[in-house]
Amino acid sequence: MSGQKTAWVTGASSGLGLHTALALRDDGWRVIAGARSFEDGEAGGMTRLKLDVTDEESVARFCEKAAGIAKPDALVQCAGMLVLGSCEETSVEEFRRVIDTNYLGMVRMNRAVLPLMRERGGGKIVLFSSINGLLGIPFQGAYTASKHAIEGYAECLQLEVKPFGIQVMLVEPGDHRSGSDKYRPHAAAMTEKSPYAAAYKSATDRIHRDETGGSDPDRLGRIVARTLDRKRIPLRKRVASADQHLAVWVHRFLGARVNRWVLRCYYIRKKPVKPE
Ligand SMILES: NC(=O)c1ccc[n+]([C@@H]2O[C@H](COP(=O)([O-])OP(=O)(O)OC[C@H]3O[C@@H](n4cnc5c(N)ncnc54)[C@H](OP(=O)(O)O)[C@@H]3O)[C@@H](O)[C@H]2O)c1
């Protein structure tokens, strides 16, 4: 199809990345989808290419193969994972895995794709953040830190690339019933011996309930696709339920004590067990 636009989508094998890729395909985009579990080939009306965003060589290979097919009008970055655990007990290696995938993965992809977009005189970069990019949720320290990093990075990026006709959009989803538990491991130290065990159980039960009862991932995919079609895209696109919008509002406009109270009441119902 002549004049067809191309989107490269990372993390497109599952969850919101898959739903966004499908929505873009349905809207007439050529989609080149990347994930570690893909074998190179055509499937479901998209081109699939193997991609590990934590591996510099894999990123270079993906970009070379994808550029041989069609250079990107849009790069949509959804690859992500989280490790659940207390800040104290999550190991540095576990923190590193989350930051390396969620944040540095985006940095690697952008470093490879920005020269292509500059050459073409423009493009759109979409970075999947989260409500956790705006406020902290207990026992999601590594994930929350990675999403806050993305938020700050995107603000810098948009200022730098605007003169080249490149626009940046952060997608800030609330809970959606799409994520797979395999991308949400518990930190190794989170056993019943943990001093945080009771609070951890209360918070992770709540997190699990919110995600399994979360918003419709198809709808999010369609919103992202529709927004990407606009000439001008916003820096932030929050796609969340009314109570999650309210939580962001409370966080922004009310003080730290109120926030702590609200979030502790919501997530942590159990007091820590005092050591004997
Ligand atoms: N679901 C939600 O409620 C929610 C809420 C807020 C934000 N988000 C954000 O939305 C994005 C998608 O999350 P999700 O929960 O919907 O999906 P998910 O089911 O957790 O899927 C994660 C995706 O990332 C890919 N991935 C993980 N590590 C990768 C790596 N090193 N290189 C390349 N791809 C990698 C996985 O594919 P392979 O294993 O095949 O590589 C998979 O396609 C994430 O950025 C997440 O933080 C989700």
Side-chain angles (χ1 to χ4, degrees):
M1 204 193 301
S2 71
Q4 187 182 26
K5 285 194 249 162
T6 299
W8 294 4
V9 184
T10 75
S13 67
S14 156
L16 298 181
L18 173 61
H19 287 274
T20 302
L22 293 172
L24 287 165
R25 176 204 65 187
D26 292 347
D27 276 7
W29 291 70
R30 181 206 303 263
V31 175
I32 303 181
R36 292 166 305 178
S37 57
F38 283 166
E39 293 306 328
D40 293 2
E42 297 294 318
M46 302 179 212
T47 303
R48 289 174 163 190
L49 296 175
K50 202 174 202 47
L51 169 66
D52 181 346
V53 298
T54 66
D55 176 349
E56 206 85 51
E57 275 178 28
S58 172
V59 168
R61 256 195 319 272
F62 171 90
C63 291
E64 199 185 325
K65 285 184 193 164
I69 300 165
K71 292 192 176 148
D73 297 285
L75 169 66
V76 182
Q77 300 216 50
C78 310
M81 54 105 50
L82 64 84
V83 172
L84 291 160
S86 66
C87 291
E88 179 184 339
E89 296 159 296
T90 301
S91 69
V92 169
E93 197 39 50
E94 287 164 333
F95 267 94
R96 192 173 284 138
R97 262 176 66 205
V98 177
I99 303 280
D100 200 20
T101 305
N102 297 3
Y103 171 54
L104 293 177
M106 287 184 177
V107 172
R108 287 186 192 94
M109 286 300 299
N110 284 344
R111 281 173 45 77
V113 165
L114 283 167
L116 302 177
M117 288 189 171
R118 277 193 298 98
E119 251 171 50
R120 288 158 60 83
K124 291 171 181 163
I125 293 194
V126 178
L127 306 174
F128 267 59
S129 173
S130 167
I131 294 292
N132 294 55
L134 306 167
L135 52 88
I137 289 176
F139 304 112
Q140 294 199 19
Y143 181 76
T144 298
S146 75
K147 295 295 182 181
H148 274 66
I150 291 165
E151 292 275 335
Y153 164 82
E155 289 199 3
C156 304
L157 180 66
Q158 52 129 14
L159 294 170
E160 296 170 16
V161 298
K162 188 170 186 302
F164 300 105
I166 301 169
Q167 300 181 63
V168 178
M169 176 166 81
L170 286 158
V171 176
E172 298 167 336
D175 289 310
H176 282 74
R177 48 176 189 280
S178 60
S180 157
D181 279 348
K182 89 174 166 187
Y183 302 111
R184 287 145 180 69
H186 297 270
M190 298 317 295
T191 65
E192 68 279 3
K193 293 199 183 113
S194 161
Y196 299 90
Y200 183 65
K201 168 128 187 33
S202 152
T204 48
D205 284 352
R206 171 65 82 182
I207 290 164
H208 186 70
R209 247 196 332 270
D210 284 351
E211 221 175 81
T212 49
S215 308
D216 175 11
D218 268 339
R219 179 172 168 272
L220 179 136
R222 287 197 303 275
I223 290 173
V224 174
R226 206 183 318 132
T227 310
L228 253 187
D229 228 20
R230 290 202 217 141
K231 195 158 178 235
R232 302 229 168 283
I233 56 174
L235 175 62
R236 288 191 164 82
K237 184 79 193 163
R238 196 166 310 143
V239 187
S241 60
D243 56 333
Q244 286 171 338
H245 276 285
L246 180 65
V248 175
W249 188 91
V250 167
H251 185 264
R252 182 169 306 157
F253 295 109
L254 303 184
R257 282 176 65 179
V258 178
N259 264 293
R260 195 161 47 239
W261 180 78
V262 170
L263 289 170
R264 280 193 62 86
C265 285
Y266 188 74
Y267 286 102
I268 304 179
R269 276 137 196 271
K270 307 264 171 36
K271 293 212 155 83
V273 181
K274 291 222 172 85
E276 312 252 305

